[in-house]
Amino acid sequence: MLVVVMAVALVVVAAGVSLGLWMATGGDGGSAAPEARSSQGRTAAPTPSPSRSYALSEAPRTIPAVRDHTPARGPGWQPEDGNRVVVDDPALADEGRLVAGELGLTYAGEKNDDRAGDLRLTLGGDKKANPESYVMTVRDGRVEISGSADAGVFYGTRTLKQEVHDGGTAPEGVVRDEPAKAQRGFMLDIARKNFTAGWIEDRVRELGDLKFNQLGLHFSDDQGFRIESDSHPEIVSRQHLTKAQVRKIVELAESRHITVVPEIDSPGHLGAVLDAHPDLQLRTAQGSAVQGAIDISKAESAEIVDDLLNEYAGLFPGRPWHLGGDEYQALVRSDPEASFPQLAAAARDKYGSGATVADLTTGWLNDRAATVRENQRTPRAWNDGFFRGTSVKAGKDIEVAYWTGKEIGAREPAEYLSAGRKVINYNDEFLYYVLGEPQTFVYPTGQRIYEQWTPRVLRGTAAVPERYDGQILGGSFAVWCDLANSQTEDQVAAGIRMPLRATVQKLWDPGEPQLSWTEFRALANRLD
């Protein structure tokens, strides 16, 4: 009888140990097994157990979500004291040092040996692959992130950072990931509202962790000119960023693989420049000044704007350059030629007897595009800076920043696309956060973007045909400060938090998200 009782007890104990091991290692889809303690009390690297002791891993939950995950059985990976970050190429030193500091690891530089717990960053693979793609392999207590370019490796480190946030575990298996859209932007209107350099730097860090790759700075408008100028110091607002502060922002952005896209809007929205140069302000035939509009019939107008474009080319090294081009008030009159005879005369002189004010305005855009091209920049302009029926055509390489269908003579997005133009999505129905909610604007919600918007929804709520998808380069969420004092910096940061996350999710993968909005919001709260 005693032998039977002992046998039963042993079976029960064994079952309990087995159940405890299962719950600790596989019951939640891939959390780490119980870890041994070293003689110094430090947590040792997990020792892989037989594969049957682990459930198949689940895909990591990150923002944006990874595109593909091949599950495996194993303990996964967590950062621990003494673990190394190693690289196989000195070009990855910046990425290695950054993630080492973030995860509390030791950056060991170029190493060929393998140690338990290593995070290895590598360059290689298909050189024709998307330079923002990466492969992350978690196996045998180590992690390797590889990409054909440093940008992809950086994005792999962002995924890993989210996976292990707040004690989480990077799941065993292989992530293969890349963005659907090459341009993933956030645009900030610092002209109407002065934002501090520190606040902008905080946004850069946030954008980098979310895999955005562009930061637009609209720094010239009627209300202010917000960056120090050497060529025209007289136009600069009292509250502004110094060039040293901008260089620091640009340097920080580059470390996160973010390009800063400057915008000096013209020939409208130049009020701050015109305050210092009233002789260049556009006036009607009756002599009335037109707010924010420069007189494009005057050679001096082109000279001052080109001075600024050339000056800031040295401050912003990225290729994209936003020329604005929107809402030139000369063209909202029923008869621009009669209202502005000087513009009409200049159009005829330059482009022939049948030329119009719209032709002259298109020529202005082309001339400014030529200026930035000389600085090896790629020009873009707002969609209402392109006109139908003109004899002068906007340069083919000027990208369309499509934001509205409300302008006079508005054209459907397909009209630009069918002409072969490349387009960036700034849809004001979803992606415009306008301080104070003037006119018909309301603060956009992350839920509406997440559930209803895709990069093909360029205007209103309808998507353009799929055949145009390749011409849509990406999109940008935008903060405009029409009523600048309506929100503080902190309120703006809080208000755009979920819209930014929803926007990048749909730019990284425009397909139907696997998580519901409630789940996505909970994930965002957990990761912050």
Side-chain angles (χ1 to χ4, degrees):
M1 187 67 173
L2 179 60
V3 173
V4 173
V5 171
M6 290 180 65
V8 171
L10 286 170
V11 169
V12 171
V13 170
V17 171
S18 177
L19 179 61
L21 178 62
W22 172 257
M23 292 177 68
T25 61
D28 65 351
S31 58
E35 297 166 341
R37 297 281 172 176
S38 69
S39 57
Q40 288 79 24
R42 192 174 63 195
T43 301
T47 302
S49 298
S51 61
R52 65 177 180 273
S53 300
Y54 297 91
L56 273 177
S57 61
E58 294 181 357
R61 289 201 165 186
T62 59
I63 297 175
V66 301
R67 305 290 293 276
D68 181 76
H69 176 255
T70 302
R73 298 180 189 275
W77 182 89
Q78 289 182 315
E80 297 174 359
D81 245 2
N83 285 3
R84 306 183 306 174
V85 176
V86 296
V87 301
D88 74 347
D89 192 301
L92 296 175
D94 290 343
E95 288 74 20
R97 290 191 180 95
L98 176 63
V99 74
E102 291 170 330
L103 302 187
L105 307 178
T106 299
Y107 178 68
E110 293 180 77
K111 299 291 182 183
N112 293 321
D113 62 315
D114 290 323
R115 292 186 187 175
D118 273 356
L119 165 57
R120 179 172 291 277
L121 309 182
T122 73
L123 288 176
D126 183 3
K127 295 301 182 183
K128 296 181 180 179
N130 183 335
E132 295 187 309
S133 66
Y134 67 92
V135 176
M136 180 168 66
T137 303
V138 180
R139 181 183 297 136
D140 297 333
R142 299 182 182 88
V143 181
E144 180 177 294
I145 299 172
S146 64
S148 62
D150 53 354
V153 174
F154 171 74
Y155 293 134
T157 67
R158 300 307 88 190
T159 295
L160 183 66
K161 182 182 177 183
Q162 289 192 26
E163 287 176 335
V164 302
H165 176 74
D166 197 25
T169 299
E172 203 86 2
V174 181
V175 168
R176 293 177 176 84
D177 200 16
E178 65 178 336
K181 292 300 178 184
Q183 296 191 22
R184 304 176 301 281
F186 168 60
M187 195 230 74
L188 181 64
D189 172 12
I190 65 172
R192 293 180 177 92
K193 182 180 179 68
N194 182 63
F195 287 87
T196 62
W199 190 91
I200 298 172
E201 289 170 8
D202 286 343
R203 300 290 74 70
V204 168
R205 296 183 185 94
E206 179 182 15
L207 295 171
D209 283 351
L210 292 170
K211 304 187 178 93
F212 280 90
N213 64 1
Q214 290 187 359
L215 167 64
L217 292 181
H218 175 93
F219 64 91
S220 169
D221 213 303
D222 296 347
Q223 294 80 359
F225 193 99
R226 300 290 182 184
I227 295 179
E228 175 187 357
S229 172
D230 299 316
S231 65
H232 290 282
E234 74 280 0
I235 69 174
V236 179
S237 301
R238 183 181 61 82
Q239 289 185 307
H240 65 272
L241 297 173
T242 67
K243 286 189 173 180
Q245 288 174 317
V246 173
R247 290 189 187 97
K248 185 179 177 185
I249 291 168
V250 169
E251 183 179 355
L252 178 65
E254 287 178 333
S255 76
R256 267 65 175 178
H257 294 271
I258 294 170
T259 299
V260 181
V261 182
E263 182 189 357
I264 299 176
D265 201 346
S266 78
H269 295 282
L270 282 171
V273 173
L274 295 170
D275 285 346
H277 294 273
D279 54 309
L280 299 181
Q281 186 146 26
L282 179 65
R283 294 183 179 274
T284 66
Q286 292 73 38
S288 300
V290 180
Q291 176 63 34
I294 201 166
D295 188 336
I296 60 176
S297 71
K298 295 183 176 182
E300 297 84 359
S301 296
E303 289 171 7
I304 192 170
V305 173
D306 283 348
D307 284 348
L308 296 170
L309 294 175
N310 286 320
E311 176 182 359
Y312 291 108
L315 189 60
F316 297 100
R319 288 192 67 86
W321 195 288
H322 206 316
L323 295 169
D326 63 313
E327 299 179 326
Y328 188 46
Q329 294 302 299
L331 294 171
V332 305
R333 306 300 174 98
S334 58
D335 188 349
E337 286 69 34
S339 297
F340 304 100
Q342 76 277 32
L343 299 184
R348 292 191 297 269
D349 289 345
K350 188 169 185 178
Y351 298 112
S353 60
T356 65
V357 174
D359 286 311
L360 188 67
T361 307
T362 302
W364 169 278
L365 178 64
N366 285 340
D367 290 344
R368 306 294 75 73
T371 298
V372 299
R373 277 193 215 100
E374 290 173 0
N375 290 292
Q376 290 76 52
R377 302 300 193 266
T378 301
R380 72 175 61 162
W382 298 112
N383 64 286
D384 52 334
F386 298 78
F387 309 108
R388 179 192 285 127
T390 54
S391 60
V392 180
K393 304 298 180 185
K396 290 286 189 182
D397 67 330
I398 303 176
E399 298 170 353
V400 180
Y402 197 97
W403 72 281
T404 189
K406 301 182 180 73
E407 77 276 15
I408 295 172
R411 289 179 284 169
E412 293 289 341
E415 192 168 330
Y416 301 88
L417 294 163
S418 62
R421 290 199 178 275
K422 295 178 179 178
V423 176
I424 302 113
N425 191 327
Y426 289 78
N427 187 334
D428 64 345
E429 293 281 330
F430 288 91
L431 306 179
Y432 264 32
Y433 191 96
V434 185
L435 265 59
E437 301 180 306
Q439 302 177 51
T440 60
F441 287 106
V442 295
Y443 292 129
T445 66
Q447 181 173 2
R448 188 162 180 255
I449 297 167
Y450 189 77
E451 295 177 344
Q452 300 179 31
W453 180 81
T454 74
R456 284 171 46 210
V457 179
L458 286 160
R459 173 177 173 176
T461 59
V464 298
E466 188 174 0
R467 66 180 179 273
Y468 294 129
D469 186 66
Q471 292 171 239
I472 301 171
L473 303 178
S476 182
F477 189 85
V479 170
W480 293 101
C481 302
D482 292 44
L483 300 174
N485 296 324
S486 300
Q487 289 192 339
T488 65
E489 286 184 336
D490 288 345
Q491 287 172 323
V492 173
I496 66 177
R497 176 178 164 271
M498 287 309 300
L500 282 177
R501 283 150 179 77
T503 299
V504 80
Q505 172 59 47
K506 303 303 280 291
L507 289 168
W508 195 267
D509 183 356
E512 188 72 24
Q514 292 188 353
L515 300 182
S516 69
W517 170 251
T518 300
E519 292 170 326
F520 184 82
R521 184 175 56 195
L523 175 62
N525 291 339
R526 182 174 67 78
L527 293 176
D528 283 352

